[in-house]
Amino acid sequence: MPEPARSSPSARAKWAWLLVALLGWMPAARAQVAPADVPTPAAPAPPAEAFPAPEVSDAVTRLLEQPYLREDERRLLRIRHGVWEDADLQTPADHARAALVRGALRSPALDDEQAPALDRAEAHLRRGNPARALELLDGAEAPQGPAAARAARLRGEALADLGRFDDAIAALTPLAGMLANARDADEAGDAAMGLLLLARLVGPADERAMKYQPMLDALGRARETLNRLAWSVPLAEAMLLYEKDRYAEVGPAIENTLTLNPRCAAAWSLLGRAAVDSFDFPRAEAIALRLDELAGEATIDGAIIRSMVEVRRGEGAAAERALEGARGAFPDSRAVRAQWAAAAAARFDFAAADARLAELDALAPGTPVGQLAVGRAMASARQYEEAARYLRAAAERAPRWAEPVIELGLSELQAGRDAQALDALERGATMDQYNVRAANSLTLLRELRSYLRFESEHFVVRCRPGQDEILAREMLAQLEKIFARVTGDGPGGIRHAPNHKTVVELYPDHRWFSVRIAGLPQLHTIAAATGPVIAMEAPRTGPGHKVGTYDWARVVQHEYVHTVTLSRTKNRLPHWFTEASAVYLEDAPRGYSTVQLLARAVETGTLFDLDSINVGFVRPRRPSDRALAYAQGHWMYEYIIERWGNEAPLQLMDLYAAGVREPEAFRTVLQTSREDFLAGFTDWAREQLVAWGMSATDERPGILTLLSRSGADEPSPPLIAEWLSSHPDNPFVLELALEQATKDAPADVPALCERYAKARPVDPLPHKLLAALYLSGQDAPAGKSPLDAIPHLEYLDAREQSSPGYAAEIARLYATKKEFPRALASAARATQIAPYDATIREFAATIALMANDLDAAERHLRALTILEPDRTAHQRRLDALLARRASPAP
């Protein structure tokens, strides 16, 4: 079927979305582990349609419309630019060229002896038959002109696939001169693609390989001076940029290729791999479908992309199923066999993975591609020991190829093995100075060598010298409390301790934090765990900070749960489950916005199922999806504990550690299917919403029902008063009555607040109103004082994550009551949220002195001398305190 010359508006929107995704997510794309906040989703339904092609370039359209072209020339141009009609394919050469471009490797045209030898050779090479490709190349007349570059590239690739690396180097070496002196744009594209392989074989610094920038410059010259419409040039650019992890430029280069040839399977394949790397799994699968539709058959690249998606999801069996057709049709494809080994490793069957690698080795002696594929898969799954084993093997097989060494270094960095990471990344950067992730991560490791180190029984905290020392020193005591809670046997406790100290790295700003997690400074979160390492951005305001102040202890407690659950399960648990346990063990009540989000999802039937919830974390379709995924996961975890007890999550974890997948684990531990679990959870959730005052019942009808019964269009004050009389504990009525009273009857507000708080205990509004009322002293009921605001402020503070205001006010009120231990605890919480705020520190020091806690007072005063070194009063107060401590008690 012919491709449309123009894509639809919805297609354009999809392309714009994908490019934004690539530009925004690709920084984390090929990092060898997704941090705990970048999950690996389970499989949703297959895509309903293939990913649309971008608009064909206006320049191509104008060219095809030129009146000076003969019809045969126009026909050949349509074939060249991938916009042919069936009638345009008139010769064996036409059919072969079209089949090769669209990836139809099983087309009979590619075995027709009248088809060009180079096309037939390339087809055999892609099918996994390099020996036959060499026979065709040897038997053909030596190509002249631009075709010589293509012949050299194909010969080099075939020899490399056969394990004849020295011969491959000899075949590819002339391509540097061909690229530098190219007189044809396609010649330049072919030469550049071949030089990518040469650089892997000899190293990019070798004199036989063209350096990155000269190669990019040569491709630019080919585009500008030889042929702006040659799609092979931007395709080669995209491959080169992808090789160097220059993610911001990859997407536009691929799009440029496809606007010049929308049927170019090689470009679609690269785009699909980029989508997998950026965790955009639905689009990756839609691109795989596009590849199959272009070819009119199941394709190697489509199968590999689907399998890569499943490996990233942790579904090894599904990854194997995705390859079944390709393995049957192309049993000798090196790429398929490498992915087949990675799929076995994703099932944690390393014996099978090794056996499959041995079979690949028999076909292509010494090839590193299988070990690299398995190593990447294991690093992505946080199986760091296995990742290191396979990546080292790949590096040994290809000692001049930078990529396996860089992947090893990045994996070791995420594993917290800084010495090994530094060694690998220094070697990788020496081999390839243009790789962005390697350069950034190496800079980070060198930065870390200057960091200070603070250590307790179970943690190491590292920070840059200076103000961050204040927080780093204070963290240790709180971290040990976190350890006791998370690893203990309290409600939801994991009952497991990692066999290593966990490293908490405190980064001075968002840029450095992002480099630590993703390799590039564009990750949008404030803390993340990779297993042995928790990285966090300093909770301060100012330039370079995404969030500002935040409750670091709650955030780190969440991340440490990831560390512990990943340790207990060998990093082998569904991601919604690890997020759910982490939110559960934050030990904090839900915010009201979260409650409202859950209520809407239940009422509208938009709760996630156990597959789509994982997609909601990483690729939200709606603005609320990520928040709903966290909230629903937490809710389901609560349901498991309430319905099956504290042991159930731990039993599930142990099955996950043994490699058991979620459906079987649910049947074993919960004695239910995932579908029945979700149905039971939904019924329980509805009961929860009623208890929270969020769902209407026959006894407590909603406002629309009450209006219908009253025959009114909208609630009026008399009607609200009538409803309040007949439904005194209805939260929907009380909410309306309270809203009206705040405008018209302030004297009624306190009593309505108390009633509404009981009817809907999840809404902070009555607590905010009462706290403000009692603190102001105006219109407060008789006998009420500012001290009566304390329980309401405590309700609000328990749900506050970014402001120290509530905690500071609670501390002030308790100090007024001379309840100094409570005042001190609240002051400490205020400094926990805003540890760099000198005003909060000074207030906390005052409270500590009032409580006669000289240790706390000294700690805050020392912090003040660092935060505000120019204020001599801080040093004078500290000196006075130290003198007081040194003098004997009277």
Side-chain angles (χ1 to χ4, degrees):
M1 294 292 292
E3 291 288 316
R6 298 282 182 183
S7 56
S8 66
S10 62
R12 291 195 294 272
K14 288 184 178 182
W15 260 92
W17 200 103
L18 181 60
L19 287 177
V20 169
L22 288 175
L23 296 179
W25 269 91
M26 285 296 285
R30 296 172 76 192
Q32 284 309 295
V33 59
D37 291 322
V38 185
T40 48
E49 59 182 21
F51 198 84
E55 295 183 9
V56 176
S57 167
D58 289 338
V60 170
T61 303
R62 288 195 301 270
L63 173 64
L64 292 171
E65 294 172 350
Q66 291 302 311
Y68 63 80
L69 291 174
R70 298 192 307 272
E71 182 51 38
D72 193 55
E73 292 173 328
R74 205 183 312 274
R75 177 181 69 81
L76 292 175
L77 282 172
R78 285 196 294 266
I79 296 172
R80 174 179 176 79
H81 290 286
V83 291
W84 67 78
E85 304 284 346
D86 289 344
D88 290 327
L89 306 180
Q90 298 178 4
T91 69
D94 295 341
H95 284 281
R97 175 40 98 189
L100 199 58
V101 166
R102 62 190 178 91
L105 298 182
R106 286 184 282 181
S107 169
L110 292 170
D111 293 308
D112 190 326
E113 292 188 359
Q114 296 184 57
L118 290 184
D119 287 348
R120 287 183 285 144
E122 184 153 0
H124 279 288
L125 184 60
R126 292 191 196 176
R127 292 167 179 167
N129 191 357
R132 177 57 181 152
L134 281 178
E135 289 176 3
L136 287 167
L137 292 169
D138 290 338
E141 184 177 339
Q144 301 298 317
R150 184 183 178 200
R153 172 179 66 82
L154 294 175
R155 184 177 297 278
E157 291 176 3
L159 290 165
D161 274 0
L162 291 169
R164 295 168 54 184
F165 301 119
D166 289 340
D167 292 337
I169 292 169
L172 295 167
T173 297
L175 288 173
M178 293 182 186
L179 177 56
N181 302 300
R183 296 184 179 181
D184 179 272
D186 288 334
E187 178 184 15
D190 273 308
M193 293 177 203
L195 287 170
L196 284 175
L197 176 56
L198 180 62
R200 294 177 182 180
L201 295 173
V202 301
D206 190 281
E207 62 182 10
R208 290 167 291 184
M210 183 176 281
K211 307 299 185 290
Y212 163 77
Q213 193 59 53
M215 193 185 306
L216 208 58
D217 292 343
L219 287 169
R221 285 194 301 273
R223 180 178 58 253
E224 297 301 321
T225 65
L226 298 177
N227 187 350
R228 288 179 176 270
L229 303 186
W231 52 265
S232 61
V233 171
L235 176 60
E237 288 175 322
M239 292 177 174
L240 176 60
L241 293 165
Y242 186 76
E243 181 99 357
K244 304 299 181 184
D245 297 334
R246 296 188 172 267
Y247 304 116
E249 302 160 90
V250 171
I254 297 174
E255 185 185 22
N256 189 19
T257 305
L258 289 171
T259 62
L260 298 175
N261 184 345
R263 280 181 163 128
C264 178
W268 283 110
S269 177
L270 186 59
L271 187 66
R273 290 169 187 268
V276 174
D277 288 342
S278 58
F279 299 93
D280 192 352
F281 300 154
R283 284 171 177 78
E285 291 173 322
I287 290 167
L289 184 57
R290 164 63 61 184
L291 283 161
D292 290 352
E293 288 187 358
L294 280 173
E297 61 188 40
T299 61
I300 289 176
D301 289 340
I304 289 175
I305 288 168
R306 293 186 183 95
S307 181
M308 290 172 69
V309 166
E310 298 300 345
V311 166
R312 281 292 181 100
R313 287 177 175 141
E315 298 294 336
E320 290 178 328
R321 289 194 295 272
L323 292 170
E324 286 175 355
R327 289 184 61 241
F330 307 102
D332 293 334
S333 166
R334 275 66 171 166
V336 170
R337 284 182 175 269
Q339 187 61 28
W340 180 238
R347 289 192 292 103
F348 311 116
D349 188 344
F350 299 110
D354 290 340
R356 293 172 184 180
L357 289 174
E359 293 171 357
L360 173 58
D361 218 32
L363 274 178
T367 181
V369 296
Q371 282 77 7
L372 180 59
V374 175
R376 280 178 174 162
M378 291 302 91
S380 178
R382 302 187 184 93
Q383 306 294 301
Y384 297 119
E385 296 297 334
E386 288 80 7
R389 175 163 73 91
Y390 288 106
L391 290 171
R392 286 194 187 101
E396 288 169 1
R397 286 166 169 257
R400 299 178 184 88
W401 188 12
E403 188 166 348
V405 181
I406 291 171
E407 299 294 346
L408 173 62
L410 293 169
S411 179
E412 296 288 62
L413 178 61
Q414 302 301 338
R417 297 193 284 256
D418 289 358
Q420 294 91 325
L422 183 63
D423 175 69
L425 287 171
E426 283 183 336
R427 286 190 290 127
T430 299
M431 297 163 68
D432 185 357
Q433 60 179 307
Y434 293 102
N435 187 283
V436 176
R437 285 185 308 149
N440 280 348
S441 297
L442 189 55
T443 300
L444 172 71
L445 280 167
R446 289 167 177 162
E447 166 84 359
L448 284 173
R449 288 192 294 189
S450 69
Y451 275 31
L452 299 176
R453 180 185 180 97
F454 304 92
E455 196 161 349
S456 65
E457 183 178 359
H458 300 103
F459 294 91
V460 174
V461 179
R462 302 198 296 186
C463 74
R464 178 184 283 182
Q467 289 190 355
D468 288 343
E469 295 178 55
I470 299 169
L471 179 54
R473 293 178 189 276
E474 291 180 339
M475 290 176 74
L476 292 174
Q478 183 65 35
L479 288 172
E480 290 298 334
K481 293 178 183 178
I482 290 172
F483 172 87
R485 171 68 181 104
V486 173
T487 66
D489 60 0
I494 309 302
R495 301 183 199 170
H496 170 85
N499 60 4
H500 55 78
K501 289 188 178 185
T502 298
V503 177
V504 180
E505 294 173 349
L506 176 62
Y507 286 96
D509 55 33
H510 187 77
R511 175 181 177 275
W512 280 110
F513 161 72
S514 296
V515 172
R516 178 62 172 93
I517 296 301
L520 284 175
Q522 295 180 27
L523 185 68
H524 304 293
T525 184
I526 54 177
T530 64
V533 177
I534 296 172
M536 59 178 283
E537 179 183 334
R540 59 157 61 92
T541 57
H545 292 274
K546 294 287 186 182
V547 176
T549 58
Y550 64 91
D551 184 353
W552 71 261
R554 177 174 174 178
V555 169
V556 171
Q557 186 156 323
H558 176 109
E559 299 303 333
Y560 187 60
V561 177
H562 290 315
T563 295
V564 176
T565 55
L566 291 173
S567 173
R568 176 162 181 154
T569 64
K570 302 178 182 177
N571 300 354
R572 299 174 182 178
L573 74 171
H575 198 88
W576 79 262
F577 193 86
T578 188
E579 291 296 352
S581 61
V583 177
Y584 184 92
L585 278 167
E586 288 178 24
D587 294 330
R590 288 180 180 84
Y592 189 48
S593 62
T594 298
V595 171
Q596 292 173 307
L597 183 64
L598 290 169
R600 282 196 300 271
V602 172
E603 290 166 0
T604 59
T606 55
L607 286 172
F608 293 112
D609 61 29
L610 288 171
D611 290 329
S612 61
I613 187 171
N614 294 295
V615 179
F617 284 106
V618 66
R619 282 296 175 191
R621 298 290 185 175
R622 300 163 297 183
S624 62
D625 274 3
R626 182 173 285 114
L628 178 59
Y630 277 101
Q632 183 184 329
H634 175 206
W635 216 11
M636 291 192 296
Y637 199 84
E638 282 186 327
Y639 172 61
I640 290 173
I641 289 178
E642 181 173 313
R643 172 80 163 71
W644 288 278
N646 282 329
E647 294 291 332
L650 304 181
Q651 293 170 354
L652 287 170
M653 289 182 200
D654 291 340
L655 288 177
Y656 297 143
V660 177
R661 309 312 296 165
E662 186 174 79
E664 183 181 346
F666 268 40
R667 286 192 294 270
T668 300
V669 175
L670 309 183
Q671 301 293 304
T672 187
S673 67
R674 296 198 306 166
E675 293 73 20
D676 288 345
F677 168 86
L678 193 64
F681 161 72
T682 304
D683 291 341
W684 176 84
R686 291 193 179 97
E687 295 172 1
Q688 292 275 296
L689 291 174
V690 171
W692 294 345
M694 298 299 295
S695 286
T697 64
D698 291 340
E699 295 77 20
R700 297 191 300 185
I703 299 302
L704 291 178
T705 300
L706 290 171
L707 284 171
S708 176
R709 292 176 183 177
S710 303
D713 294 327
E714 59 183 31
S716 62
L719 195 55
I720 294 172
E722 178 186 326
W723 291 343
L724 195 59
S725 175
S726 57
H727 301 280
D729 63 347
N730 185 314
F732 304 100
V733 175
L734 285 164
E735 183 180 24
L736 279 181
L738 180 57
E739 180 182 352
Q740 179 190 340
T742 57
K743 300 174 183 175
D744 304 327
D748 295 340
V749 167
L752 284 171
C753 280
E754 297 288 355
R755 291 169 62 186
Y756 179 52
K758 291 179 181 178
R760 185 173 284 164
V762 292
D763 191 345
L765 176 63
H767 302 282
K768 289 181 178 179
L769 293 173
L770 289 173
L773 183 65
Y774 297 153
L775 287 172
S776 71
Q778 299 176 359
D779 299 321
K784 295 293 185 179
S785 74
L787 297 178
D788 291 297
I790 289 177
H792 303 290
L793 291 170
E794 289 178 331
Y795 175 99
L796 297 169
D797 186 49
R799 291 155 178 80
E800 180 57 50
Q801 297 188 58
S802 59
S803 171
Y806 292 132
E809 184 62 19
I810 294 167
R812 186 186 68 80
L813 293 171
Y814 274 128
T816 301
K817 294 178 68 176
K818 299 189 183 305
E819 294 186 19
F820 293 118
R822 290 183 171 181
L824 197 60
S826 291
R829 171 160 165 75
T831 61
Q832 180 175 289
I833 295 175
Y836 302 97
D837 188 320
T839 302
I840 295 294
R841 283 283 177 181
E842 194 161 9
F843 171 75
T846 301
I847 296 291
L849 289 169
M850 294 171 67
N852 201 34
D853 188 331
L854 301 187
D855 289 340
E858 180 180 342
R859 176 164 51 83
H860 294 310
L861 288 172
R862 288 190 183 279
L864 285 165
T865 64
I866 298 172
L867 293 171
E868 296 183 331
D870 295 335
R871 284 193 61 188
T872 57
H874 298 322
Q875 189 62 52
R876 288 199 303 271
R877 293 178 69 191
L878 177 59
D879 291 342
L881 174 63
L882 295 175
R884 174 181 169 186
R885 299 191 72 173
S887 63

